[in-house]
Amino acid sequence: MRRCATLLALLALVLTGAGAVPAAAAAPQTSACETGWGSMAKSAPGSTAMTGSLTDVRTGRHACYDRMVFDIPGMTTDDPALYWVQYVPGFAHPPSQTGIPVDGGAVIEIEFTAPVDDSQYPVRLADPLPGLDFSGYQTFRDAKFGGYYYGGTHIGLGVRAKLPFRALVLPDRLVVDVAHSW
């Protein structure tokens, strides 16, 4: 009987709000941006080179991450072609190893086995990727073209700091998301 009285008293406190914990002292809420992506290299061991060519690069801002999309018609989720995405100490043109400066606290190199379609996406070695403006982005700082060499297109993505990222293959595109924080 005593137990029931104690439970009823507790219930009354809860229902009336008496003894409520002030908002400032409440336990912190779990972030809605938990990614668990990590910062280790991501890759796909596709069986063949991509049949399509890079036709555009675009970006987007999201609540928890910045996104870069590489439009590559012909890329499929059934048999994604080869790609590698990883942090590098410095970005360089592959055959000559000539350094290409990329702004940011860290650099992610993105390589995929598709050439650039110059008629749709004209870009020159060591130049910023055309059409991209990183004003207002929380994570992205810069993006440079590292050339097409030995079956791979190389892109240097400058980010604010070494942060978690992921790479996704969607129909006709490769997507790289970089989180705003750990």
Side-chain angles (χ1 to χ4, degrees), residues 3-93:
R3 236 175 167 177
C4 287
T6 303
L7 288 173
L8 286 173
L10 284 173
L11 183 60
L13 283 174
V14 170
L15 291 176
T16 62
V21 178
Q29 291 185 342
T30 308
S31 169
C33 292
E34 292 180 27
T35 60
W37 300 337
S39 61
M40 300 299 292
K42 315 297 192 271
S43 64
S47 62
T48 60
M50 293 183 194
T51 57
S53 297
L54 177 68
T55 58
D56 195 20
V57 178
R58 51 200 165 87
T59 59
R61 294 178 293 184
H62 296 266
C64 300
Y65 56 87
D66 289 348
R67 170 169 281 184
M68 182 169 278
V69 177
F70 300 90
D71 290 324
I72 307 167
M75 184 174 209
T76 69
T77 56
D78 293 334
D79 186 22
L82 297 172
Y83 71 81
W84 301 266
V85 183
Q86 63 188 347
Y87 280 101
V88 293
F91 186 59
H93 179 240

Side-chain angles (χ1 to χ4, degrees), residues 90-110:
F91 186 59
H93 179 240
S96 68
Q97 288 306 302
T98 302
I100 298 173
V102 179
D103 292 338
V107 177
I108 297 174
E109 181 175 23
I110 302 159

